[in-house]
Amino acid sequence: MNNAQKTRKAKAGLLLVASPRFKNLGVGCEHGTYGDRKEIAIKDIQERLSFLDLSFPGIVYTREDAEKAMSLFFNEKVDFVIAEFLSWSEDFAWIRFLRDMPEIPMIFANVAKEKMSFYDTLEEDDFIEYLCSGTLVGSLEASGSIQRVPRKNVKVVMGSRDEVNEQIKKYAAAARVRAILRNSTVGLLAAYNEAMWSTYMDPYCLFTKLGPEIRFLAYSDYGNAIEAIPAEELKSYCDELTTNYKMMDDVAYDKFEASVAASIGLKDMAEASDIDVLVFNDIDTAMFRLVGLRAGFYHPWFNKNTSVLVPEADMGAGIMTYILKLLSGKHVNFIEPFHIENEFGTFAGGHAGPNDHNDPEHQDKVVIARDVRFAKSQWKHAGAPFAWYRIAPGRKTMAQLVECEGKYKMVCAMVESLPGEHILATYSHTIFRPEVPVKRLFEEILKVGTTQHLAVVDGDYREELAMLCEMMGIEFHDIR
């Protein structure tokens, strides 16, 4: 997918409902008619939603207005709809919208003011303001039809305008991810992981329920991509890596070049096939026979294109990594928990193979080191190096996505990556301290039933993930 499509603002349809019988009341009043006041109000609403790409058809007063709104939202392919009653209103246009608008996530908002601008309604100007302020009665009237129609994927929020907009921001982020997933492509290179059947996913279910299309990429094409790398491109990336990172003394330069070439080959495969999530079966013996090593570097192209690369043919973990990438725009790491140290309330986690080591703020945590796990193997480039990364410290969202009987489960929790030295050879890694007791965290995950692969990213995205799961019918487990 084009990178601009993955980095765009969320697209929202703005549905503001008001009363036709009130519209022309208040002619000659100091603050204008009901309709005049609503026109002023909607300008403020739109200005406060500048973080969105808005589609606004005008205030909905009539059936025709509702039909116009539906056509606009559908044609402009909005990610979600923001619905708000601007006062009490007749509900015929609203119910028609609920019935006829194609299924799409919707946030139904009621904004509570801190204080009314009138004291009593003895003057007509104040009475019109009273009518304008009846958002609660309008929202209550409208709420029943959400259940009666019924309408799925509607989130109800209430608060001040700022509080409501904060919820809209998070909902928009989730809705945007949902929409992007439906146009994304997963590339599986080149087969399911026969060593880990639990990573298998049904491509048909994945497409129909989560959105991404799957393309199966061939190892032979991977070999051809490596062979076709221009010498100057290989040298340029080798120089970039050795400029940015220290290389350990026992690394053979020819094997370093081979690992770099294999890494560029992955980038070229993804770029040529328009892949957003490259899921690489990097422990397949067929791949080792052809290439002679496991690629060790995470090419910067993946970040520049808002794409991701994950190992061990785990599509669920790949999509989870991609979701966190789309939500955060940050560098996301792929891990598996290794072991618990209960004395410290910590667990070690990380993974072998290519892992995103490109965070410009943490380049000092990367060393070019031999892949000692394969150093004594029979493969042509045994011991070829990789970017040995001590995953950056900080508070992170840890999450995973798995399939179970045609449905999907997502698990997430907050963990802190602790600072420290490189301690686990062959693996990019760190020591994590979860915010819940470590034994309880993994007991809960074991009860849910998942796999061993997770994604981690700086920041707290649990609310956005919860909203996304609600939109997509994914069973959500937030362990706190």
Side-chain angles (χ1 to χ4, degrees), residues 411-463:
V411 177
C412 74
M414 296 302 298
V415 297
E416 182 183 3
S417 173
L418 303 179
E421 303 300 319
H422 291 74
I423 55 176
L424 299 175
T426 296
Y427 301 95
S428 291
H429 64 280
T430 189
I431 303 298
F432 293 102
R433 178 178 291 120
E435 292 190 355
V436 301
V438 65
K439 288 191 295 184
R440 182 167 77 80
L441 170 63
F442 287 105
E443 182 178 14
E444 291 297 320
I445 293 176
L446 290 171
K447 288 177 180 177
V448 172
T450 64
T451 66
Q452 76 271 36
H453 294 144
L454 305 99
V456 293
V457 69
D458 284 341
D460 185 350
Y461 294 93
R462 289 174 295 178
E463 285 190 64

Side-chain angles (χ1 to χ4, degrees), residues 267-390:
K267 178 267 293 185
D268 288 345
M269 288 280 288
E271 189 171 15
S273 300
D274 195 22
I275 300 301
D276 305 294
V277 183
L278 184 56
V279 180
F280 180 31
N281 190 347
D282 64 336
I283 63 169
D284 191 339
T285 54
M287 188 276 298
F288 280 114
R289 282 195 297 269
L290 178 68
V291 180
L293 79 162
R294 170 169 56 195
F297 301 93
Y298 197 97
H299 197 281
W301 176 88
F302 287 97
N303 285 310
K304 290 176 182 175
N305 198 55
T306 319
S307 299
V308 297
L309 163 66
V310 300
E312 294 193 350
D314 192 334
M315 287 189 288
I319 292 169
M320 189 72 252
T321 302
Y322 184 51
I323 287 171
L324 291 179
K325 182 73 175 177
L326 292 172
L327 282 175
S328 69
K330 301 174 183 176
H331 299 270
V332 186
N333 290 112
F334 179 98
I335 69 161
E336 60 187 15
F338 301 136
H339 54 257
I340 290 171
E341 289 194 274
N342 196 49
E343 179 181 354
F344 307 111
T346 61
F347 68 94
H351 211 277
N355 216 323
D356 189 356
H357 53 81
N358 294 289
D359 190 334
E361 296 184 7
H362 299 288
Q363 296 294 277
D364 60 328
K365 296 176 175 60
V366 184
V367 177
I368 298 172
R370 287 197 314 151
D371 187 342
V372 297
R373 179 179 173 185
F374 287 99
K376 296 182 179 180
S377 68
Q378 74 273 28
W379 310 121
K380 179 179 179 181
H381 301 294
F386 73 110
W388 191 24
Y389 179 40
R390 173 76 187 216

Side-chain angles (χ1 to χ4, degrees), residues 32-85:
T33 65
Y34 170 97
D36 295 334
R37 300 180 203 209
K38 290 308 170 190
E39 290 297 328
I40 293 171
I42 65 171
K43 289 179 182 177
D44 178 64
I45 291 171
Q46 290 176 282
E47 287 175 3
R48 290 172 179 243
L49 294 173
S50 60
F51 55 88
L52 298 170
D53 181 1
L54 281 179
S55 294
F56 180 53
I59 296 174
V60 172
Y61 287 106
T62 66
R63 165 183 173 170
E64 291 74 23
D65 292 337
E67 290 173 344
K68 176 184 174 184
M70 285 186 275
S71 295
L72 179 68
F73 298 163
F74 183 80
N75 290 335
E76 296 201 358
K77 297 181 179 180
V78 299
D79 302 329
F80 73 110
V81 171
I82 303 165
E84 185 177 333
F85 267 57

Side-chain angles (χ1 to χ4, degrees), residues 10 28 134 166 177 194 232 239 408 415 444 470:
E166 281 303 308
V177 169
E194 294 182 6
E232 59 270 22
D239 290 347
Y408 298 91
V415 297
E444 291 297 320
E470 186 175 3

Side-chain angles (χ1 to χ4, degrees), residues 7 44 60 163 171 184 196 220 227 326 355 377 415 465 471:
T7 55
D44 178 64
V60 172
E163 289 168 340
Y171 196 79
S184 296
M196 302 171 198
S220 57
E227 290 295 324
L326 292 172
N355 216 323
S377 68
V415 297
L465 292 175
M471 291 175 193

